[in-house]
Amino acid sequence: MPYARIITIDGPAGCGKTTLGYRLAEELNYSFLDSGILYRAITRHVMNVGAKPHQLDSVQAYTETLTLTIKKLRPRFQFEINGKKVSKLNSLQIDKLVPIIAAYPFIREKVRAMQREIAAQGQVIIAGRDIGTVILPDADLKIYLDVSLEERAVRRHAKQNTEERSLDQVREDMRLRDIADATRETSPMRAATDAVIIKTDGLHVDEVVATVLQHAYIEPENED
Ligand code: DC
């Protein structure tokens, strides 16, 4: 296989990690995990069971016995929490609460275990905030997508469906989430020192895919 076995993609909300991840998975015939959905699903679970998201004790009590199980990796990743599928993971309320839940170290531990289990299978692309720095520091290729807040906000605003937020609101919500994700004590969002940083402002996804594939290609060793 002449391509990196494990590819990580980190970067802020709305930077295009998921679109890039699915495209690469298609090109390489790899599995793709968007780790953000695990934090979103745990946040939904916390809301469903009536825990108080801002109170560590409450979240801890309600998630102590929480189990995350992989159901399927391909073609689309599927998982369960306590034996059940969790849905409706993209609401505005989840956007607001997920950085709080994702900052608890005991939550990150549960998610870390699942991510490493998936990576151990190889031929996988994992996207998130701390994948290249904390989860898989030995990954073969680490990508960090860097895009201006303005471009991310414009893209997200154009895509919103049910909620009617102004561009200013979308931009402000994203700015606050960036700060929460980048300044938390445990596994803050950051580029690994050996990551390939791709600034995608004004780039088409095809150009980003082509750049990553170039970096992912491993020259076969000469056998002479
Ligand atoms: O990528 P996303 O917007 O779906 O991520 C949701 C939240 O989960 C985000 O606010 C930060 C958190 N997250 C994280 O802390 N670490 C990851 N590897 C992925 C997501």
Side-chain angles (χ1 to χ4, degrees):
M1 194 68 184
Y3 285 96
R5 263 181 85 248
I6 298 177
I7 303 174
T8 65
I9 310 172
D10 289 301
C15 70
K17 300 183 292 285
T18 314
T19 311
L20 173 64
Y22 278 124
R23 281 287 308 273
L24 289 172
E26 236 173 68
E27 297 281 341
L28 297 170
N29 200 20
Y30 279 19
S31 309
F32 172 60
L33 167 69
D34 165 20
S35 64
I37 61 163
L38 301 172
Y39 293 99
R40 288 175 179 274
I42 295 177
T43 302
R44 163 65 66 196
H45 174 81
V46 163
M47 288 157 66
N48 288 350
V49 296
K52 297 192 174 67
H54 294 85
Q55 290 180 16
L56 181 142
D57 290 358
S58 168
V59 175
Q60 201 159 21
Y62 279 98
T63 54
E64 221 156 30
T65 57
L66 180 149
T67 56
L68 280 171
T69 330
I70 304 165
K71 295 308 285 180
K72 210 160 140 201
L73 260 180
R74 297 190 201 197
R76 289 253 158 171
F77 174 66
Q78 283 176 16
F79 66 102
E80 287 179 347
I81 288 188
N82 295 348
K84 282 198 198 122
K85 244 174 103 173
V86 191
S87 53
K88 302 203 188 90
L89 304 181
N90 283 309
S91 70
L92 204 51
Q93 203 186 0
I94 293 201
D95 276 4
K96 289 225 155 83
L97 292 176
V98 67
I100 296 158
I101 300 301
Y104 291 124
F106 54 91
I107 297 288
R108 301 202 72 82
E109 246 168 63
K110 288 186 190 280
V111 177
R112 186 191 311 142
M114 181 186 250
Q115 292 172 115
R116 289 193 177 151
E117 194 184 326
I118 291 170
Q121 304 187 24
Q123 302 201 327
V124 67
I125 299 151
I126 305 192
R129 303 290 192 287
D130 63 337
I131 313 299
T133 49
V134 175
I135 305 296
L136 302 167
D138 297 327
D140 308 311
L141 175 64
K142 302 172 192 175
I143 302 293
Y144 189 88
L145 292 185
D146 186 18
V147 200
S148 67
L149 174 63
E150 190 57 33
E151 181 150 336
R152 289 186 285 131
V154 168
R155 285 188 208 159
R156 183 59 60 91
H157 182 251
K159 264 210 294 201
Q160 68 177 348
N161 33 29
T162 47
E163 306 109 14
E164 279 307 316
R165 286 182 296 165
S166 66
L167 177 59
D168 283 350
Q169 276 172 313
V170 172
R171 187 190 304 107
E172 183 57 9
D173 287 350
M174 266 188 164
R175 195 182 68 80
L176 294 175
R177 195 137 73 90
D178 285 354
I179 293 174
D181 290 341
T183 59
R184 66 172 175 239
E185 230 166 87
T186 315
S187 311
M189 167 175 77
R190 148 169 337 152
T193 48
D194 53 351
V196 175
I197 299 178
I198 307 178
K199 186 135 181 72
T200 69
D201 286 81
L203 290 187
H204 189 273
V205 62
D206 290 348
E207 296 171 276
V208 186
V209 170
T211 305
V212 176
L213 287 176
Q214 271 173 14
H215 284 282
Y217 184 70
I218 298 167
E219 285 292 339
E221 281 182 26
N222 203 332
E223 282 174 17
D224 301 339

